[in-house]
Amino acid sequence: MVGILLMTHAPLGAAFLAACAHVFRGPTEHLEAIDVIADQDLGQVQDLAAAAIKRLDDGDGVLVITDVKGGTPANCCNRLADAGRVEVIAGISLPMLLRAITYRRDTLDVVVEMALAGAQSGAVRVDNRIRVGEA
């Protein structure tokens, strides 16, 4: 099973874990979050991330999802990327995360692609305006 690590600005990671527990009616296995706080030592963050990746990797790899490309959490986890073993994507959203969790029993490449597809298809205009000609 592909492990999933959330590397975000605090408190986003914890909030996403809570949202997933709500959706799936309980904690999700092989899913952890590191909430990076302002002025946190970057070496410490990288050490925490490396330890989390080691815990989450049961041989199928780890997907690291961060919030903003170029932000401190993303910069810390970029150094931990290892093609085929640890993949990093940015732009976390709940549709992205739910899709990644749903497909985490597939290969790491498939989980990455499904997470990205979830993000793209999950960003839609929810239009509640009354349209002319519709009942």
Side-chain angles (χ1 to χ4, degrees):
M1 176 186 301
V2 172
I4 300 173
L5 174 63
L6 312 180
M7 288 279 295
T8 62
H9 291 85
L12 286 177
F16 276 110
L17 291 182
C20 289
H22 173 79
V23 170
F24 293 114
R25 308 278 189 217
T28 302
E29 60 183 324
H30 287 80
L31 173 66
E32 294 187 23
I34 296 174
D35 283 330
V36 180
I37 58 175
D39 300 324
Q40 188 169 2
D41 179 76
L42 299 184
Q44 178 190 37
V45 174
Q46 283 186 317
D47 290 346
L48 291 171
I53 288 169
K54 188 174 181 178
R55 281 192 305 276
L56 291 167
D57 190 1
D58 65 0
D60 292 327
V62 176
L63 171 60
V64 180
I65 306 177
T66 187
D67 48 7
V68 180
K69 181 180 178 185
T72 300
N75 291 339
C76 287
C77 58
N78 276 345
R79 296 178 184 131
L80 301 171
D82 181 7
R85 192 181 78 77
V86 179
E87 300 288 345
V88 180
I89 60 175
I92 191 169
S93 68
L94 193 55
M96 170 191 278
L97 181 56
L98 295 177
R99 184 73 69 95
I101 291 168
T102 301
Y103 285 91
R104 65 196 164 147
R105 294 192 184 279
D106 218 312
T107 66
L108 181 56
D109 281 342
V110 169
V111 175
V112 169
E113 291 305 317
M114 296 313 285
L116 293 172
Q120 292 170 346
S121 65
V124 297
R125 180 178 183 171
V126 179
D127 195 347
N128 62 356
R129 294 178 292 175
I130 297 172
R131 295 185 178 164
V132 176
E134 291 184 7

